[in-house]
Amino acid sequence: MTQPPTSLTFEEARQRVDAYIGQFREGYFPPLLLLARLTEETGEIARVLAHQHGKTPKPGEDAGDLEMELADLLFVMICLANERGLSLERGFERMMQKIETRDADRWTRKEPGQ
């Protein structure tokens, strides 16, 4: 029987990634290598979306799994934040505050019931 999805906080994800990486002598990749990995994962997301929206995969090429590719990107982002000693939770809250204030009247709001 399949278990229902669990909720995961930024802090729990940070700790889980840190525990995993902490098993290895090499530790986190240096920042520029993590940036290269972010770029690579973003390209893989682009490939999956291209396949889903018109581009036919090459013969033998897997169409890809968007959920996994997004999760790969998230893993690398958590690694970069951990390596730099940053809080994604704090950063996310700051970013939401910024856009909720700056962009509060930028878009057309839906009418109730839409």
Side-chain angles (χ1 to χ4, degrees), residues 17-28 75:
V17 169
D18 201 52
Y20 176 75
I21 298 295
Q23 303 175 84
F24 307 106
R25 286 185 198 155
E26 294 82 0
Y28 289 103
F75 176 81

Side-chain angles (χ1 to χ4, degrees), residues 5-92:
T6 59
S7 181
L8 183 68
T9 67
F10 283 108
E11 179 58 21
E12 290 165 339
R14 185 201 68 73
Q15 289 176 11
R16 188 168 175 185
V17 169
D18 201 52
Y20 176 75
I21 298 295
Q23 303 175 84
F24 307 106
R25 286 185 198 155
E26 294 82 0
Y28 289 103
F29 290 149
L32 290 178
L33 184 50
L34 286 169
L35 177 60
R37 295 241 6 248
L38 282 173
T39 303
E40 175 190 4
E41 297 303 342
T42 302
E44 291 175 12
I45 290 167
R47 180 182 47 80
V48 171
L49 288 171
H51 289 163
Q52 290 177 351
H53 297 278
K55 180 184 171 285
T56 306
K58 296 174 188 168
E61 182 181 22
D62 182 16
D65 180 338
L66 183 58
E67 185 174 68
M68 280 297 294
E69 297 303 345
L70 289 168
D72 286 346
L73 183 68
L74 180 59
F75 176 81
V76 179
M77 287 184 350
I78 293 169
C79 285
L80 182 56
N82 284 355
E83 192 278 335
R84 300 274 87 189
L86 302 173
S87 166
L88 285 176
E89 186 166 13
R90 184 179 55 240
F92 182 80

Side-chain angles (χ1 to χ4, degrees), residues 87-100:
S87 166
L88 285 176
E89 186 166 13
R90 184 179 55 240
F92 182 80
E93 287 298 331
R94 291 172 53 211
M95 182 275 308
M96 287 301 298
Q97 171 68 33
K98 177 184 76 173
I99 66 165
E100 287 170 343

